[in-house]
Amino acid sequence: MPMLLSRVQAQNEVWLRKMGKATRFRGVIFPVNPTALPTSVFVLPRLGLRTRPREPVVARDLFRDPARRVMLVGNWELPLAGDDVISKCFVLFQMTGKVSWTRREPTLHPVTRQPTATTEARELGPIWVSIESYTHGNEDPGVRVPTDRLRCITGAALQLGDVVNGKTVKRLIPSLGVTIAEIE
């Protein structure tokens, strides 16, 4: 049976290239049932990636698919059998754009070398993100109005207080090997 599955996978494989690198790998992109993922409901449809075990793919890798969409790789094991050795599975997040990312870092006092109260924002570079609007079910307690929240999915190592696309990171939810953050 594994030989047959391997043959079927090989017939559907496409060559993919990591962004910013000359690394190529083969894989099969397939649709994913949204309830199969261990995180809360996502807005954009999810796809999966199945590769051979030795392909150089890890979580946080970025690549373009044959439809020219930028995809972020996340960890996700979808075993075919208890001893599945013919492939590795990943979940893919479709990136919606490249945005600015800044972090406030404390300045050091020249004599004491202690952090001072003033901080300077440092540009950490543009990063690929998927920004999704969702309502978490939270309501403003005084007004009883649902609050819309934004979810930012990225491969960058965000921290609380970082500014992504003009919004501040309020909560971090590391999941599936990528960074999922609530931004306001």
Side-chain angles (χ1 to χ4, degrees):
M1 174 129 168
M3 183 58 113
L4 176 63
L5 289 173
S6 180
R7 231 181 268 148
V8 170
Q9 178 174 328
Q11 290 174 351
N12 293 307
E13 284 179 335
V14 293
W15 280 100
L16 303 163
R17 183 182 305 274
K18 292 183 186 181
M19 293 182 61
K21 300 176 184 176
T23 307
R24 290 180 2 151
F25 63 94
R26 292 174 297 192
V28 177
I29 297 174
F30 60 94
V32 171
N33 179 355
T35 60
L37 296 174
T39 57
S40 59
V41 177
F42 292 102
V43 178
L44 291 174
R46 295 296 175 236
L47 297 171
L49 173 68
R50 185 177 298 279
T51 66
R52 295 177 186 202
R54 292 197 175 111
E55 293 292 342
V57 181
V58 295
R60 298 183 185 263
D61 281 346
L62 286 168
F63 70 90
R64 286 196 189 272
D65 71 351
R68 306 292 300 152
R69 297 173 294 190
V70 175
M71 299 297 217
L72 173 67
V73 176
N75 289 327
W76 182 43
E77 284 303 317
L78 180 66
L80 293 174
D83 58 348
D84 180 14
V85 293
I86 61 170
S87 63
K88 294 189 299 186
C89 276
F90 301 94
V91 66
L92 299 178
F93 298 94
Q94 181 179 338
M95 300 289 95
T96 57
K98 203 170 194 179
V99 299
S100 65
W101 172 32
T102 59
R103 178 177 293 156
R104 293 205 173 275
E105 295 185 348
T107 55
L108 297 178
H109 189 276
V111 175
T112 64
R113 305 301 295 166
Q114 297 296 317
T116 61
T118 60
T119 58
E120 295 179 16
R122 182 171 64 114
E123 182 71 31
L124 297 175
I127 57 172
W128 283 100
V129 297
S130 176
I131 296 180
E132 302 177 348
S133 176
Y134 74 102
T135 302
H136 198 295
N138 294 337
E139 291 186 358
D140 183 299
V143 193
R144 295 190 179 148
V145 175
T147 57
D148 285 338
R149 299 188 184 257
L150 294 175
R151 177 184 303 149
C152 173
I153 304 167
T154 184
L158 299 179
Q159 294 180 4
L160 290 175
D162 285 0
V163 177
V164 176
N165 199 28
K167 308 276 187 201
T168 305
V169 174
K170 298 292 185 180
R171 184 174 175 211
L172 291 171
I173 311 158
S175 182
L176 303 171
V178 299
T179 302
I180 301 173
E182 279 186 22
I183 58 176
E184 294 178 358

